[in-house]
Amino acid sequence: MKIAGVHHRSIGRTADGKGARILDQRDLPWHVTWVDLRSVGEAATAIRDMWTRGAPLIGATAAYGMAMAIATDPSDAAMARDYAMLLETRPTAVNLRWALDEIVAAVRALPFEERGAAAFARADQITDEDAAMSAAIGQHGLPLIRALHDENPDRPVNILTHCNAGWLATVDYGTATAPIYAAHDAGIPVHVWVDETRPRNQGAYLTAFELAEHGVPHTVIVDNAGGLLMMQGRVDMVIVGTDRVAANGDVCNKIGTYLKALAAHDNGVPFYVALPSTTFDASTPTGADVPIEERSAGEVVLVAGQEGTVRITASPAANPAFDVTPARLVTAYVTERGVSPII
C-alpha cells in the first residue's frame, strides 16, 4: 500500500520485535497514525473497537495478539483464556478464528520456553501469506477488468465497490481492490464508484483514502445511489470483499452488500466477490448459520467528520453490521487460486 508515495503494510512487528504496529484506522482520512500494540489486551481492544478491521487484517492482528499472549504466559491455561478473549471480539469474521487456531497449532507440541518465538514466527508467516494471497487475487481478477475494457475501449471501466476491502482491510493490496490496483498499474483506465458505506463510512473514509493515495480515479456516492447508476448503465461490474463465505457459497459482508447484489442481478451487472481461501468457512453450512454481529447504536446516531462528531438523530437505532448475499446472486468468486463460479 502507498501513503504519500511510500510503500507500507497495514501491520507488522514493532521495532523491538515484541509487539505489533498497526495503522489506526479511526483517524483516517484526516490523520495517519501508527499505534504499537504491546499486549493481548491491547490487540483485543484494537479489534473490538475497530482501530483495525477487515477479515484478513483482523486475523493478522489476532495472530500477533496471541503471540504476545504466549510470549507473556505460554501455559496451556493462559492460551485457552487468551484465545477465548480474542475470539469474542468480532464473531462474524472467520479469519479471526482461523488465525488463532494457526498460532495454537504452531506451539501446542513445543516446550513452554520455545512457544513465544514460534508464535511470533507463525504470525509473521500469516502476514506474508495474506499479502501474497491478495497479490494473487489481483492478478486473477485483472483479466475480468481487461475484458470489460476491451468491450468499450473508449472509456474507463466503471467499478462499484462497497465498504472497504482494500489494503486497509488486509496486510497489503486488498481483496476487492487488488484487481483494481492491478488494472490501474497495467494502464487500463478505471473509475471506482465508492459507496460511503454507512454507518461507519468505511468507503468514504478508507476506500476513498487508499484509492486517492494510489492515484485511482474514484467518486464517493451515497449507498442508495448504486441501483440508479446500474440502471443507467454507468456500472460495468461490482466487486466486494467478504468476512465469511459459507459452505454453500453464501456471502456474509458489510450491511448493504445484499442490496447491491440484488440491483446488479436485476440490471445484468456482474457481481464478484474477492476473498482469500482463509475466508471460506466449510464448517458453516449456509449464510443463515453465520452469527451477525450487532454493534453499538452509537455508530448509527453519531457521525464523525473532520470537525468532530455530531449526533444526527434523537431516536433509538439498531446496528446489524453484516448481511448475507445468497450464492445465486454471485457471478464468480475471485481467490488466490483463480476465478470460479462456485467457491
Side-chain angles (χ1 to χ4, degrees):
M1 65 185 191
K2 293 180 180 178
I3 301 177
V6 178
H7 180 263
H8 298 270
R9 281 186 172 184
S10 54
I11 189 170
R13 285 223 222 173
T14 54
D16 62 7
K18 297 180 180 180
R21 189 171 188 255
I22 64 167
L23 180 62
D24 189 343
Q25 298 185 25
R26 298 173 300 171
D27 287 346
L28 293 173
W30 320 116
H31 305 285
V32 175
T33 305
W34 295 92
V35 175
D36 287 350
L37 305 178
R38 293 292 183 177
S39 69
V40 63
E42 290 181 358
T45 297
I47 296 170
R48 182 185 301 107
D49 294 348
M50 295 180 73
W51 305 7
T52 187
R53 32 128 330 266
L57 187 53
I58 286 172
T61 307
Y64 279 118
M66 198 67 197
M68 286 184 277
I70 292 169
T72 301
D73 185 344
S75 68
D76 290 344
M79 272 204 306
R81 178 197 66 216
D82 295 328
Y83 179 106
M85 178 178 66
L86 286 165
L87 185 62
E88 62 83 26
T89 55
R90 296 296 304 276
T92 302
V94 72
N95 296 67
L96 172 60
R97 185 185 66 211
W98 173 86
L100 293 175
D101 288 343
E102 288 292 306
I103 298 297
V104 171
V107 307
R108 178 70 77 188
L110 298 177
F112 285 2
E113 64 270 17
E114 297 179 13
R115 286 183 172 185
F120 268 110
R122 184 66 186 110
D124 290 340
Q125 290 173 346
I126 286 171
T127 59
D128 289 341
E129 290 163 2
D130 183 74
M133 285 190 287
S134 290
I137 289 169
Q139 291 307 306
H140 288 303
L142 172 58
L144 301 174
I145 300 175
R146 191 185 301 278
L148 289 170
H149 181 248
D150 289 344
E151 292 176 10
N152 294 282
D154 297 328
R155 63 171 179 82
V157 179
N158 285 294
I159 304 167
L160 187 144
T161 191
H162 188 68
C163 195
N164 173 256
W167 51 253
L168 287 165
T170 64
V171 175
D172 208 348
Y173 303 105
T175 54
T177 59
I180 297 171
Y181 292 134
H184 175 79
D185 292 347
I188 300 172
V190 295
H191 168 264
V192 183
W193 297 109
V194 180
D195 278 355
E196 63 176 345
T197 320
R198 285 275 293 147
R200 290 190 64 92
N201 295 324
Q202 294 101 320
Y205 294 165
L206 305 179
T207 302
F209 168 80
E210 63 172 81
L211 291 173
E213 291 293 321
H214 203 87
V216 178
H218 62 283
T219 305
V220 176
I221 57 173
V222 298
D223 292 347
N224 290 331
L228 174 63
L229 293 174
M230 293 184 215
M231 185 178 289
Q232 293 175 334
R234 300 171 69 188
V235 178
D236 298 306
M237 66 181 289
V238 179
I239 185 166
V240 300
T242 175
D243 288 81
R244 186 185 307 204
V245 174
N248 72 336
D250 289 351
V251 174
C252 185
N253 194 46
K254 173 72 178 185
I255 194 78
T257 303
Y258 175 42
L259 297 180
K260 293 301 182 298
L262 287 171
H265 184 266
D266 193 51
N267 288 279
V269 175
F271 182 92
Y272 296 104
V273 178
L275 69 150
S277 57
T278 52
T279 306
F280 174 64
D281 183 14
S283 68
T284 299
T286 74
D289 301 300
V290 177
I292 300 299
E293 181 181 358
E294 181 80 23
R295 293 186 60 82
S296 167
E299 294 181 348
V300 177
V301 303
L302 301 173
V303 176
Q306 189 172 15
E307 303 303 322
T309 299
V310 296
R311 188 177 184 95
I312 61 171
T313 180
S315 297
N319 187 16
F322 301 89
D323 60 22
V324 175
T325 297
R328 63 182 175 81
L329 299 178
V330 179
T331 303
Y333 305 86
V334 187
T335 77
E336 78 277 12
R337 299 168 182 169
V339 179
S340 174
I342 57 173
I343 193 66

